[in-house]
Amino acid sequence: MSASLQMEKRHETVSALENEYFDLVIVGGGITGAGIALDAVTRGLKVALVEKNDFASGTSSKSTKLIHGGLRYLKQFEFGLVREVGKERAILHKLATHLVRPEKMLLPLTKDGNYGKIIASVGLMVYDVLADVEKADQRKMLSAADTKVLEPLLADNNIEGGGLYSEYQTDDFRLVIELLKAAQSEGAKVINYTACTRFIQKAGVIAGVEVKDELLGTEYKIYADYVINAAGPWSDDIRKYQEEVTGKKLHLTKGVHLVLPYEKFPIQQSLYFDVPDGRMIFAIPRKDITYLGTTDTFYDQDLKDLRTTMDDVHYLIDSANSYFPALGLKTEDVISSWVGVRPLIAEEGKSASEISRKDEIFISEQGLITIAGGKLTGYRKMAKRAVETLLDRRHDDTGKKIPKCKTKKYKLPGNGFKSPKAITKYKKSLAKTNSHLSKIEISYLVDLYGTQTDAIIEATHNGTNIIEAEVAFCITNEWVYHLADFYIYRTGRLFFDLESVRSSHLIVADQMQNLLGWSDSQKEQEVLVLNQKIKEATVFE
């Protein structure tokens, strides 16, 4: 696709946003906003979505990369939340089989840990029941010896046993992109790098939004019957455009994850383990790295200044060393990191870890619908509640029948699979017919793009480099406008394969200059911004 064609597509979207009338405008292009867009458009609503930065660039690319059932919420007696996210986990595995991958999690039991043998056994059993876990995947209680076989790095003198239970690993940013692609295919108008700057009001009721396109430098208005604020950590800032924020407010908590070379942290099994301050954290192996997290501390500073600090690094490294003293992990072993904030609902007197992860909906006097809180795993149900809040209000005004939610069985782009076995078969088939690519390259592509890998590989048959084919696919199909968009929010390479970023970014910058029409100075600026992103992920103060 040429630069003129790529920008022409954006101009067409802007023209539609500016000149058409919508049932709904969504502010925020993270997992919640994307889920709302697909839910609403598949119910027949005319939908627009605007995101001020890149899609998934906030909390939705900074999770632990797990679609999990919320085991720890049992300790807070949030049985309803465990049940909901557990059932949603199974649904998401069917909707995006290549992106929501089975992962066994080991809960080691120690003499002074959060879970004793009896509590762990009962808790995991309740977890299986509430989360509706299939029999083959239900928990197994292990002896100390069996636990050590599964994870030899565990200290001999402190392990009393273990529990093996089911989770799912994912790439959170890819879920967002595929949801948005699905919504667009159904007719939604979605655009990134377009900030909501104020609300349009008629007779004291919100009737749309005013926006600024950061790429084109233009400002325009989008008119709609309803506006849903799904801006995550920025939700209260959006609310301030039309009223003073009183009553329940967001309480932001900071979550940091560290990436270490697998050779430095060579665990055989994904782990959920105790740390000295009474919390629990994850350690998850992934190809040639292991990532570790997360922290959970209050955050009340400017979101533009969000960084992984040396204190964060020390906390996680010290926590891992306390459980795996033989490793002797050091801060200089960290090769990358990511940090995000959770948009929780403030609760008086509770610590960051104790605050509920439930979502809530606020409706202002002017009609703004805001949804906040919640978990990645529960995005579909959050979207359903938000859209039905809108439809209930519309029904009261018009008497129109409320259409049913259709997203429970709506397979996302790239998911042409019925099971993980089908994915393995597809990878083998691609390897057999594409000898110019390694099995590692094929596995990487399929895990991210599913059956869309066919289109990427097809472009390599004329001699195009595989990463250049991937870049072209993302620019053509996935709203990529900046170098960092590709390396962070489409592929996660900056987190999981930093060396590939360093070795390829100049070639990719040249390619993006050709495809997007950058000037030489703009290309230089893109490289500078990417290098700054690398510094933020790797240098800690």
Side-chain angles (χ1 to χ4, degrees), residues 123-175:
L124 288 172
M125 180 181 68
V126 172
Y127 175 81
D128 283 342
V129 172
L130 291 176
D132 204 18
V133 177
E134 294 183 7
K135 190 170 183 178
D137 290 330
Q138 290 180 1
R139 67 94 166 88
K140 294 180 181 177
M141 300 309 297
L142 307 171
S143 66
D146 288 340
T147 302
K148 280 281 295 177
V149 169
L150 275 179
E151 186 44 70
L153 283 179
L154 292 169
D156 286 312
N157 60 351
N158 200 33
I159 300 299
E160 294 188 321
L164 192 66
Y165 65 100
S166 294
E167 293 285 22
Y168 289 89
Q169 196 176 93
T170 193
D171 288 297
D172 44 13
F173 47 87
R174 291 302 313 173
L175 278 176

Side-chain angles (χ1 to χ4, degrees), residues 89-106:
R89 183 181 63 172
I91 291 170
L92 296 186
H93 178 53
K94 294 178 181 178
L95 301 185
T97 307
H98 64 296
L99 281 176
V100 181
R101 303 177 285 270
E103 180 80 13
K104 288 294 185 182
M105 189 71 62
L106 177 62

Side-chain angles (χ1 to χ4, degrees), residues 292-304:
L292 178 71
T294 177
T295 62
D296 200 357
T297 54
F298 288 131
Y299 187 81
D300 58 2
Q301 301 171 46
D302 192 328
L303 289 171
K304 293 179 181 178

Side-chain angles (χ1 to χ4, degrees), residues 6-18 22 24-30 33-34 37 47-57 176-177 179-181 183-184 187-196 209-222 477-481 485 490:
Q6 177 61 20
M7 295 312 293
E8 186 178 318
K9 286 174 65 176
R10 187 174 183 90
H11 281 288
E12 288 175 359
T13 300
V14 169
S15 178
L17 292 170
E18 191 172 11
F22 295 86
L24 166 65
V25 174
I26 303 158
V27 179
V47 176
L49 180 147
V50 297
E51 161 60 46
K52 70 173 183 176
N53 296 310
D54 192 17
F55 299 125
S57 58
V176 175
I177 295 302
L179 281 165
L180 289 168
K181 284 157 67 176
Q184 180 177 258
K189 304 298 181 184
V190 302
I191 194 166
N192 52 359
Y193 295 106
T194 300
C196 171
V209 295
E210 294 186 24
V211 299
K212 181 177 180 179
D213 188 312
E214 302 296 340
L215 297 182
L216 302 179
T218 57
E219 298 182 24
Y220 56 94
K221 297 178 180 180
I222 307 173
N477 300 286
E478 299 185 350
W479 310 280
V480 167
Y481 294 99
D485 296 351
R490 300 302 179 278

Side-chain angles (χ1 to χ4, degrees), residues 54 84 172 355 371 389 494:
D54 192 17
E84 177 171 299
D172 44 13
I355 293 178
I371 184 164
T389 297
L494 190 142

Side-chain angles (χ1 to χ4, degrees), residues 65-123:
K65 319 299 182 189
L66 291 175
I67 299 294
H68 63 80
L71 173 63
R72 75 183 188 84
Y73 307 135
L74 286 178
K75 290 185 66 178
Q76 299 168 343
F77 303 106
E78 296 198 57
F79 300 115
L81 183 59
V82 174
R83 184 174 183 80
E84 177 171 299
V85 297
K87 288 181 176 294
E88 283 301 299
R89 183 181 63 172
I91 291 170
L92 296 186
H93 178 53
K94 294 178 181 178
L95 301 185
T97 307
H98 64 296
L99 281 176
V100 181
R101 303 177 285 270
E103 180 80 13
K104 288 294 185 182
M105 189 71 62
L106 177 62
L107 173 69
L109 304 177
T110 59
K111 296 172 183 177
D112 52 357
N114 276 276
Y115 294 93
K117 284 185 178 181
I118 295 176
I119 292 175
S121 181
V122 173

Side-chain angles (χ1 to χ4, degrees), residues 30-40 179-180 379-380 383-384 387 407:
I31 191 70
T32 306
I36 291 169
L38 183 59
D39 188 305
L179 281 165
L180 289 168
Y379 84 83
R380 198 189 65 84
K384 183 173 183 287
V387 173
T407 58

